Amino acid sequence: NMEYYWFTHFGPNTFTDKEWGYGDESEKVFNPTSVDANQWAKTLEDAGFKQMILTCKHHDGFCLWPSKYSTHTVRQSAWKNGKGDVLKELSLACAAYGLKFGVYLSPWDRNHPDYGTPAYNAIFAKTLDEVHTQYGDVFEQWFDGANGEGPNGKKQVYDWKLFQNTVYKQHPNAVIFSDVGPGSRWIGNEKGYAGETNWSTLNIDGFGPGADAPKPEVLNSGNKNAKYWIPSEADVSIRPGWFYSPATDDKVKSLAELAAIYHASVGRNANLLLNVPVDRRGLISRNDSLRLMELRKYIDESFKTNLALKKKSTASQVRGGLKRFGASNLTDGKFGTYWTTNDNIKKGSFIVDLGKAVEFNRILLQEYIPLGQRVAAFSVDVWDGSQFKEIDRQTTIGYKRILSFPLMKTSKIRVNILDALACPVISELQVFKAPESEKLTPGN
Ligand code: FUL
Ligand code: CA
């Protein structure tokens, strides 16, 4: 339910127009003129983000903090005469703005002389430990599955168990992201698009991050009925690359593209991790910042007025006939209250009566996921004055599902749960009229 958070890539690549540095770049190239973590935090706050993740160490091995375990760090750079520490500045700014702080560290290291030898895993674990002990709370550890060659031409066999335990030792509640979790999984593409079918469960027995991961199509949809709860995170960059380059200043994604991404991620039961690279000054650039504000405004306007709020709703069956499981919970605007049926009833429908014909173009559904993700197929009907007419047929709902339609008018909406793994438990049905200015690009 964190929905939407910020990612930033920052490091030597910011200055060299590269996406994957070789690790042989001089540390001196890292020389931002005016790093201001408070500007980042303020921009995030204004854009409505509550969490952020920083690339503390990318594949080039460069550490944005003065690590004891590397000679390729801010300490050797020209920035602040080697006295700077990006993690320190950012973690303090996050604390000041009430933002959660998350870290990306790439185990693939094209600089470290020990990479590709058995000694490296312990070194990487110590590096992780440093980050997790020195900068306060860390809500998420982002593990990149990329595994290439190091300076000696060898690849590393990663000790994922050791890396995970190192994180959990300091931050037992941290979400560990990788292709296969265990906390959160990759969505299988870098476009920010979750599958229309998106289960928060995944089979990971026999799988691992990187080359050992399930196929991207599987990550994109999860596995129905799987044993592990590993909800998806969709990562995508606001620019063509993950790192800043002046060449992409005029290629910041349009509001329509970002709106489509929002609907295809948050609107399909995934969290959206939106990368906005920090520029050569060490600031969020104007074009990116303006676009973030437009996106915020668009999302706020889209979901400002729930046309179904407090409207009368009825259901085919209510668990034990009890009021606390009744259909009115579907339209009370609260996630914590839900409609549900008897255990043996896995199909059912509910009708929300809007009172009069209203114009809408979004329907938002939520399952009460503390009790698991259950719905496997559903359809949506609207009342055309004399009968219900089907307007959509879908599979999963999960924490949040947003369906988009061309503007239409109706006085009653019916949702039919056609298939579920257990009796359906639905928190909310909400109805909105989003601004029509942005045309969403449907599908992948
Ligand atoms: C990938 C990396 O190789 C890219 O450079 C970027 O960091 C992306 C988020 O993850 O695996
Ligand atoms: Ca509710």
Side-chain angles (χ1 to χ4, degrees), residues 175 177-178 181-187 198-202 228-233 269-271 369 373:
V175 173
F177 169 97
S178 81
S184 179
R185 75 171 198 269
W186 187 44
I187 200 64
N198 187 14
W199 293 98
S200 289
T201 42
L202 190 72
Y228 306 97
W229 182 263
I230 310 180
S232 53
E233 192 185 89
N269 189 37
N271 279 349
I369 53 162
Q373 189 182 353

Side-chain angles (χ1 to χ4, degrees), residues 20-170:
W20 284 6
Y22 291 98
D24 59 0
E25 298 78 17
S26 160
E27 294 81 27
K28 303 290 180 230
V29 304
F30 184 81
N31 195 14
T33 49
S34 43
V35 173
D36 181 1
N38 284 308
Q39 186 249 11
W40 310 359
K42 174 82 175 86
T43 307
L44 301 199
E45 184 184 54
D46 291 347
F49 293 99
K50 300 204 166 52
Q51 307 84 14
M52 59 93 32
I53 299 176
L54 169 73
T55 55
C56 303
K57 171 167 107 84
H58 203 250
H59 309 328
D60 58 20
F62 187 85
C63 300
L64 291 177
W65 78 103
S67 174
K68 275 203 295 239
Y69 305 103
S70 169
T71 54
H72 194 50
T73 78
V74 281
R75 194 195 293 113
Q76 287 77 27
S77 78
W79 180 54
K80 295 195 168 175
N81 296 317
K83 299 275 184 303
D85 181 341
V86 180
L87 275 65
K88 190 170 175 189
E89 293 189 21
L90 185 56
S91 56
L92 290 174
C94 283
Y97 281 82
L99 296 165
K100 289 185 177 170
F101 178 64
V103 296
Y104 164 117
L105 279 96
S106 165
W108 181 23
D109 191 320
R110 298 172 112 182
N111 171 271
H112 205 287
D114 290 319
Y115 184 89
T117 75
Y120 176 80
N121 280 333
I123 293 168
F124 184 67
K126 285 184 190 156
T127 309
L128 270 174
D129 189 66
E130 223 176 26
V131 167
H132 282 269
T133 46
Q134 293 180 5
Y135 302 101
D137 204 27
V138 172
F139 88 97
E140 177 162 331
Q141 168 67 50
W142 214 93
F143 279 129
D144 198 311
N147 179 338
E149 291 165 0
N152 61 10
K154 295 216 172 78
K155 286 190 183 179
Q156 180 77 29
V157 179
Y158 300 140
D159 187 345
W160 289 112
K161 267 278 153 264
L162 171 67
F163 304 163
Q164 287 171 13
N165 290 340
T166 305
V167 171
Y168 284 146
K169 201 173 116 215
Q170 302 305 337

Side-chain angles (χ1 to χ4, degrees), residues 329-330 332 334-335 337-338 427-428:
N329 290 330
L330 290 160
D332 64 357
K334 293 180 193 143
F335 176 72
T337 60
Y338 50 82
S427 286
E428 283 291 296

